[in-house]
Every structure is written in structure tokens, then in C-alpha cells.
Amino acid sequence: MDRAIHIAWVYPDILNIHGGRGDIMALNKISEKMGLPVEIKRCEQLSEDIPFEWADIIYMTSGELKCMPEIVEAFERQRDSLEKYIEKGGILCAVSSSGAVLGNGLEKDDGSIVNGLGLLDMMWKERESVWGDDLWFSTEYGFEIMGNQIQIADVKLGEGQEPFGKTIYGRGNCGDGTEGAKKGNVIFTNCLGPMMIKNPRMAAELLKTAAETAGVTGYRMLDENDTVIEDKSFELIKIFIEKKMNEE
Amino acid sequence: MKKIRFYAALYISKILAWGIDVVAKGRGTNLPGEIALKISPDFISHIKNIDPDKTIFVTGTNGKSTTTNLIAHIFKKAGVKAAVNLAGANLLPGVVVTLLRNASLGGKLKTDVILLETDERFLPIIYKKLPAKHLCITNVQKDQVQRNGEPNVIWKKIASVIDNDVTVYANINEPNASSLGKLTEKCITYGVDSNSASFDKKGDFFAIAMPCPMCHGALTFESYNIENVGAFVCRECGFNGKEKADYQAESVDFENQTFVADGKKYDFKYNTPFFLYCYIAALAVSDNFGIKNEIAAEAFKDFVNIGGRSESIEIGGKTMHYFRMKQENPETVQSALNMMAADKSEKLFVLGLDDLRDFKPFYTNTFYSYDCDFRKLLDSNISHCICFSETVAYDAALRLLYDGLDENKLTVLPTSDEKIIVEEIYKHGCDNVCIVTLLKKFNEIIDSAKKYVDGKEAE
């Protein structure tokens, strides 16, 4: 093993809602189970540089839409470094409303448009009312993910933009069967839960991808003994969701 | 025609409210208002003698009821007649019921002031009908995300009713409330000094604060008086909650239950940091309505809060301590956890989070528990933990495990059957039982525990 996996936790105080910090706790804990050490750095202030050269994973937990312009501006300030980071296969993950930062733009309720970074081909439109529900979707990794979503903006993917998953239950991006968006290692998901806590296989997958890109070896993937409580949670909530599906 | 509809609405709703009072006192908080509004949609505008300058709304996420009740108690002591929605019916129909109960048969309001706890989400709708010129804001925090989404949704709703004609009473230590106060020239601030119950989160890697409501940079709390309320500062724009407020609770003494404001000493019976903000907010409002502080001080002494946040019941040798929480409201959960953690005696901790069933679609949110910190509680002599719920028992268990609970001290019951829960509680030797769940479920557990104990005694 050469080194730890480097995780930049971007703006933990600003992107502070929906228990999002649980995702970072999960990455920390799952990495221990995998025998894959991580080093996590908090990027506190908008004025401070994001450590693109250092990071293997850059993670934005769920935040309020109002903060999006300032966050886009902070990333734009380091546009060259951001593009190099994505080119080298760095992981950039944004959850819930923070995903608006990665898209083409956000149409606000007053009709004004706020530009995003354009890393994922998707357009956001602020909703008149909030949509909150469970979310269950399949992924390209061969496992399903379960969590919740609180949506205050609809997301429309551009033609050719791959989703992160396909919904089994829930609204996902806008009720069209797509959930989130993914291009290379740039990922947006609506999934809360926190997603990485409730779906440790996803956390392990993210860490594995980071390890492969960084050339780090000597770790193991999770087995069923590592996820006993999470699997029981999945089964219990599956019953609850299936009841709702049958009622529809 | 509109006048006729108004009087019809007034008389029918008054009779209905009176009837409900006779049959089930305290239940008629909304229905007569709903009917009045159906008959006469602009009911409020027909009531005579409403003076917006003598109308106070108390709004915010947490603390609305207690603050409203405290102000009402001061008014009563001072002989000021107030129309108040003490029963907490804080939507438009509840407001209408409060007004019609205090109106004469001629449709004239018989009180000196109107004092209303007002739901923060419906504030603009209520304000449109009744443009109060006094707005007391407790805080704007995470709450009911399935309805509200994020705090800024509520912030914008409150902001929409503030202009320079509105006097805002703003909590200077709560960033969102404080920033709302900046929207008017008539802002009166209230706050609390750092005190023996204050704390910080230095050295806690996973601690989070909040975005600055002014510039959206990261806020830092130098110290907290309660969760997300305290001496905050924005390193980006300088916005801060460290200045002395117009009404500042100083020299806070929880042991002797006193604080000082503007050189005068006040007794306060409910000696928790949360209540302090309610007391000082009430003082700010009553003082600005010309009530002598001596009267407020007297009122604080004998104020009795309606619907406490905790209670204890002894059943079969076990003391069941209940700590009230609201789902999807991390601050209330954290307050419950902090109260439990303050008791260092050995305790059995029972956690009953549940799926959300306020409206469809029902869903299984437990993510708000990651905005809370269970570590202090888990370090406060917990003998064992029981997590129960038909849907989210394992999610609640995961939350505790992530904060360091030893798996051997954990029992997960994937059921909401109170009989099974009670049997599990009585399997454990610890007689000090701390329960965090919804009030309805707690009452079911208590009933079941009584039956369980009666059954054992009969054996």
C-alpha cells in the first residue's frame, strides 16, 4: 500500500443539510473495513483553494440552493485545476441540491438563471413545492441503492447524458425513470439517507475507484458480514416501499 | 352581501366553538375557523377594531408556543387584554378562531392587543389577511424537510412580510433570525450571554455549522448556547452574533435560576438554555408594549408552560423518562439527547424513530439524525440501547453505532408493537429508562407497561 486515499470534504459548514456529513463518516468507516486508509481534509472557506492536486475524492454533501452561485464561483476560480483533476480520473461527487453546481444551470423560481460548472449535461428548475419521498434505484455496479430524496428543483438530463441510476421506486430526477447523472468519475445523485451509510457497497465502490486511479493496492472489498445491519435495513424498508408501490 | 356572509360566519362559528367547548374543551381550535372562512373568505377584514400596530406575530422553527405563552402571561399580569391562540392553532383557521372568540356579536374585537403564534410556512398567507406590525422571530432551523425542503425556503417566506413598517424582534445569536432583522430599520434584538451551559465544538472533526445568511460563506460558532445558536461569526463578510443585543440575558445562573437584563435580576423557573431565549424574547416584546419590567419579572416567577418537553412516570419499579422530539427536526432531538446526557446515572436508552406519516407519500427519513450528535449521551452511563420501529429500527441502530455504541449493548426490534417493546424494557435490570420517540408512541408504551406490570402482579 502506497498511501492513504485523499478525500476533500468541500464546505462542510456551508453544505450542511439533510445529515450529509454521514456520507463522510461512512467513507471513513468503510475504508477502515476495507483496510484502505483515508485522509480527509475539510475545505472550510469559499476563499480557500480546493486541493485538486492532493485529492482523490472531492465530496459535496447536500446544501441549500441559495449557496450555489458562490460555490460555482469558488470552483471557477480554479477551473484549470478542476479540469486537470477530472482528466486524471479524480472523483467529484455532489449530493442532492449541491448537484446543481455540476450542471449547466439552475432556473430559479423568479425566472433568473444561475450558471453551473457544466460538467454534467443537466438543467435544474426550481420547483414550486418540495417533493420528499423514498428513493430506490439500480446502478451500473450491479447493486441497488436505497435512500430518500428531498427535491426542491427538477433535473432534466441532456440528450446523451447518462444517469447515475434507474429508478425502481421514487421520483429521481423528474419522474422520468432517471436518477442522478454520471460522466466518468463526476457523479450527481439525489440520494440522501445518508446514501453512503445506508449503502456501504457504494462507499466501497467509490473508494475502490479512487484507489485504482491512485495506484493504491492491498485492500479488500466488503463481504456480507460487513453489511449485516445495512442489509437488514434494506430489506425492512423494501417491504415498506413495496406496499406503497402496490397501493399506487 | 359580504357583510351578511360575515355575520353568518361569525354567528355560526361562535355557536360551533361554544358547542365544542361544552363537549370537548380545547378541541375547537380550527374547525370553527375553517367554517367561518368557507362562508366568508375575507372574514378577518370585517372584524372591527383590529389595529396592526397592536398585533404581534411570534414565528420561527422552535420556541413559538413557549414565547407566545410567556408574552401572554406578562400581558395578563399587566392587565392587558389580549386575543391569543394559546392552544397553538397557528394556521389561518386557528387565527380566525382566536379572533371570533374575542369578538362581540357586532363583530368588534374586545381586546387591547392581538398576540398570535404563527406558523412560519403560512406566515405570508396570514399576514396578507392580518398585517401585524410586530414580528417576533425565534429562529429559522432545519425542520419538516418533506414540506419545507431547506431553511432558506422558510427564511424567504418570513422575509416577504418584513419592511420598514414592521418591528422585528430578532434573536441576535441565531444567524437566520438575526439576518431577517436586518431587513427593517425597526429591529429590536435579543440575546443571551455565554454561560455555564455554553459549549464549543473545537476538535470535533465532523462538526458542522451553517452557511452565512448574508454572504453564504461558512459561519463559525465561537461558542454555542444551544444548537446553532450562540456567538457566531462569518469570516468572509464579518456578520456576527457577538454584539450585545438590545435585550441581553447576562449573568445567567442556572443553579439559582436567575439572569440579569439591563441591570435588573429576573427569576426563571424553566432553567434550560432553550427557555432562556423565550424569556428574553418575551421581555423584549412586553417592554416595547410599555409593560414595566417589574411586572414581567413577576410573571416569569409563576409562569407555567403548557406541554412540557419531558416527563417521568414510575411503573413497576422502573422510572420511564420521556423526552419530547419532533421528527425531521434535529434541534429538538439534540435538546432531548442533551437533557438525557446531563443525567449521569445508569440508564436504559430506548430510541423509537419512525417513518414519516404527516402526508403522502409516507417515507422513511432518518437522515436528520446525522445532524445530531449522540456521543455525549452514549458516554453518559448507558447500560443498553433498544431501537424499535417497524421500518427504520436498523437505521436508528446504525446511527448509534456510527457514534461509537458497542454492538453488544444494542437490541434492535423491527416492530412498533408496544407489547414487545415493553417486554424488552423489563428484561433489563436498569430501572432508569430514557425514551425518545413520538408522544403518541410513548403513551402507548406507558399503557402497555401498566398492563404488563398488572399482569405480572396478578401471576
Side-chain angles (χ1 to χ4, degrees):
Chain A
M1 189 170 305
D2 312 304
R3 65 167 174 84
I5 297 300
H6 296 161
I7 301 174
W9 181 10
V10 177
Y11 313 131
D13 294 327
I14 299 171
L15 305 175
N16 72 330
I17 57 173
H18 305 331
R21 66 178 181 154
D23 280 341
I24 309 298
M25 291 174 175
L27 289 170
N28 192 40
K29 190 164 182 169
I30 300 303
S31 73
E32 278 173 27
K33 288 190 177 180
M34 294 170 71
L36 179 61
V38 293
E39 194 182 324
I40 305 171
K41 209 178 252 185
R42 291 171 60 115
C43 304
E44 307 281 2
Q45 303 290 335
L46 291 166
S47 52
E48 102 191 29
D49 281 351
I50 298 162
F52 287 109
E53 284 183 18
W54 172 85
D56 301 304
I57 300 174
I58 293 175
Y59 207 101
M60 286 190 276
T61 57
S62 184
E64 297 184 69
L65 269 186
K66 70 176 180 183
C67 303
M68 183 195 155
E70 288 80 7
I71 293 173
V72 170
E73 199 184 309
F75 272 84
E76 284 290 9
R77 236 183 17 244
Q78 292 179 263
R79 185 84 203 193
D80 286 351
S81 304
L82 166 66
E83 283 175 6
K84 277 182 200 153
Y85 174 78
I86 291 167
E87 243 169 67
K88 77 167 186 189
I91 296 169
L92 177 55
C93 192
V95 180
S96 192
S97 297
S98 297
V101 170
L102 305 181
N104 297 326
L106 161 72
E107 187 184 333
K108 295 180 75 178
D109 53 3
D110 61 5
S112 63
I113 304 275
V114 181
N115 289 329
L117 292 168
L119 302 175
L120 295 171
D121 186 11
M122 56 182 180
M123 194 64 202
W124 289 52
K125 190 176 191 309
E126 199 168 357
R127 291 173 55 83
E128 277 178 20
S129 62
V130 180
W131 181 259
D133 197 358
D134 295 308
L135 180 61
W136 177 16
F137 59 97
S138 60
T139 64
E140 65 181 57
Y141 309 107
F143 52 79
E144 293 166 1
I145 287 180
M146 198 177 272
N148 324 102
Q149 74 178 110
I150 297 294
Q151 203 172 21
I152 63 169
D154 285 330
V155 182
K156 191 87 188 150
L157 299 185
E159 250 180 69
Q161 172 61 62
E162 287 296 317
F164 177 51
K166 289 179 182 165
T167 53
I168 300 166
Y169 174 86
R171 196 159 194 284
N173 289 333
C174 57
D176 64 356
T178 65
E179 155 47 31
K182 184 174 184 290
K183 186 178 174 189
N185 288 333
V186 180
I187 298 168
F188 149 66
T189 179
N190 292 288
C191 191
L192 306 166
M195 179 176 79
M196 297 293 175
I197 295 259
K198 286 171 67 89
N199 303 277
R201 285 178 189 83
M202 187 61 231
E205 198 63 41
L206 214 61
L207 290 163
K208 185 184 103 178
T209 305
E212 283 171 357
T213 307
V216 175
T217 55
Y219 58 89
R220 70 173 181 89
M221 288 307 278
L222 302 180
D223 62 40
E224 57 188 25
N225 295 319
D226 294 311
T227 57
V228 174
I229 294 185
E230 291 90 339
D231 291 345
K232 283 181 176 173
S233 156
F234 191 99
E235 289 307 316
L236 206 57
I237 292 176
K238 195 173 155 187
I239 296 168
F240 178 79
I241 292 179
E242 281 173 344
K243 262 188 211 165
K244 288 198 283 186
M245 290 167 89
N246 290 335
E247 281 168 13
E248 277 173 3
Chain B
M1 186 63 183
K2 279 186 174 177
K3 280 269 174 213
I4 295 167
R5 293 179 79 90
F6 166 71
Y7 284 111
L10 180 67
Y11 299 145
I12 290 168
S13 301
K14 261 185 175 292
I15 291 166
L16 184 62
W18 174 82
I20 294 173
D21 280 352
V22 172
V23 182
K25 188 147 178 76
R27 299 295 297 272
T29 52
N30 272 316
L31 184 64
E34 284 165 14
I35 288 169
L37 286 168
K38 229 170 220 169
I39 301 167
S40 171
D42 54 353
F43 182 88
I44 294 174
S45 67
H46 292 287
I47 294 180
K48 295 173 213 124
N49 215 19
I50 288 182
D51 183 353
D53 284 322
K54 289 182 179 170
T55 302
I56 309 152
F57 286 168
V58 180
T59 197
T61 309
N62 295 310
K64 294 185 288 287
S65 301
T66 305
T67 305
T68 304
N69 294 348
L70 257 165
I71 298 168
H73 191 59
I74 298 170
F75 280 161
K76 198 174 173 187
K77 276 262 180 226
V80 175
K81 276 188 82 180
V84 196
N85 55 347
L86 281 179
N90 58 16
L91 306 179
L92 191 58
V95 168
V96 168
V97 171
T98 304
L99 296 177
L100 69 87
R101 281 183 186 277
N102 288 281
S104 68
L105 291 174
K108 192 176 169 189
L109 200 69
K110 297 181 287 184
T111 61
D112 304 316
V113 297
I114 300 170
L115 168 64
L116 296 167
E117 174 191 334
T118 315
D119 182 276
E120 61 278 18
R121 205 159 62 91
F122 288 91
L123 178 67
I125 294 167
I126 298 168
Y127 183 84
K128 213 172 161 186
K129 304 273 183 191
L130 182 57
K133 293 299 169 209
H134 296 266
L135 183 65
C136 179
I137 305 168
T138 56
N139 45 60
V140 181
Q141 298 176 314
K142 298 169 191 173
D143 184 36
Q144 292 187 296
V145 292
Q146 196 184 14
R147 275 202 173 96
N148 299 340
E150 49 190 49
N152 193 50
V153 169
I154 297 302
W155 190 97
K156 286 195 284 187
K157 285 189 187 295
I158 299 176
S160 72
V161 309
I162 300 174
D163 58 29
N164 281 335
D165 277 346
V166 177
T167 300
V168 169
Y169 304 78
N171 181 344
I172 200 171
N173 302 139
E174 199 282 301
N176 285 322
S178 180
S179 67
L180 285 163
K182 305 276 181 203
L183 301 177
T184 175
E185 285 166 5
K186 294 185 193 169
C187 178
I188 292 164
T189 57
Y190 63 90
V192 174
D193 268 0
S194 288
N195 52 68
S196 61
S198 301
F199 56 96
D200 64 45
K201 297 186 180 179
K202 288 174 188 132
D204 180 356
F205 184 79
F206 287 106
I208 49 165
M210 61 190 289
C212 172
M214 308 301 276
C215 76
H216 306 160
L219 279 185
T220 307
F221 280 84
E222 291 174 1
S223 73
Y224 294 84
N225 290 336
I226 45 179
E227 278 301 307
N228 291 324
V229 180
F232 69 84
V233 62
C234 175
R235 307 263 180 238
E236 305 268 3
C237 73
F239 178 55
N240 71 82
K242 296 194 299 179
E243 289 162 17
K244 190 175 170 180
D246 298 318
Y247 293 84
Q248 182 85 1
E250 300 167 304
S251 308
V252 177
D253 182 346
F254 286 110
E255 204 177 318
N256 294 304
Q257 298 173 263
T258 59
F259 69 87
V260 173
D262 200 22
K264 179 168 176 50
K265 203 178 217 180
Y266 295 85
D267 294 314
F268 67 115
K269 191 165 139 189
Y270 297 94
N271 60 342
T272 67
F274 172 81
F275 272 100
L276 254 178
Y277 280 95
C278 304
Y279 282 101
I280 197 72
L283 188 65
V285 173
S286 63
D287 189 44
N288 279 278
F289 271 74
I291 295 168
K292 285 185 180 159
N293 292 341
E294 287 72 20
I295 295 173
E298 281 306 306
F300 288 169
K301 280 182 189 168
D302 59 6
F303 169 69
V304 177
N305 192 34
I306 302 164
R309 292 197 155 228
S310 62
E311 61 179 290
S312 299
I313 300 170
E314 202 185 316
I315 306 166
K318 285 195 190 294
T319 308
M320 311 280 194
H321 302 284
Y322 175 62
F323 297 89
R324 196 174 128 203
M325 59 160 272
K326 293 185 210 164
Q327 296 216 101
E328 294 191 306
N329 185 317
E331 270 79 14
T332 62
V333 177
Q334 192 64 56
S335 288
L337 300 178
N338 292 348
M339 279 194 274
M340 278 185 284
D343 170 17
K344 302 294 179 205
S345 55
E346 189 184 51
K347 57 185 98 58
L348 174 67
F349 175 44
V350 183
L351 180 60
L353 304 183
D354 211 349
D355 48 276
L356 274 292
R357 289 176 179 267
D358 292 346
F359 56 88
K360 285 192 173 177
F362 301 156
Y363 82 131
T364 59
N365 174 3
T366 52
F367 58 70
Y368 62 93
S369 66
Y370 288 85
D371 286 329
C372 303
D373 189 343
F374 289 75
R375 287 171 298 177
K376 261 190 210 164
L377 172 69
L378 296 177
D379 287 341
S380 71
N381 203 2
I382 298 283
S383 64
H384 200 83
C385 292
I386 301 168
C387 293
F388 72 84
S389 164
E390 204 174 294
T391 46
V392 297
Y394 291 106
D395 295 271
L398 270 174
R399 180 66 196 98
L400 300 182
L401 293 171
Y402 261 91
D403 265 357
L405 176 67
D406 177 351
E407 214 166 326
N408 296 318
K409 286 186 169 185
L410 174 67
T411 301
V412 185
L413 300 176
T415 176
S416 297
D417 184 335
E418 49 277 8
K419 209 174 147 212
I420 297 171
I421 298 161
V422 166
E423 278 170 11
E424 183 62 34
I425 289 172
Y426 279 86
K427 268 186 207 165
H428 294 269
C430 182
D431 291 335
N432 191 22
V433 184
C434 293
I435 303 174
V436 173
T437 189
L438 300 177
L439 181 61
K440 185 171 175 274
K441 180 49 70 182
F442 173 72
N443 289 332
E444 287 166 3
I445 290 172
I446 290 302
D447 288 345
S448 184
K450 284 174 182 164
K451 283 179 197 153
Y452 176 86
V453 170
D454 289 346
K456 283 278 168 199
E457 282 170 0
E459 275 174 14

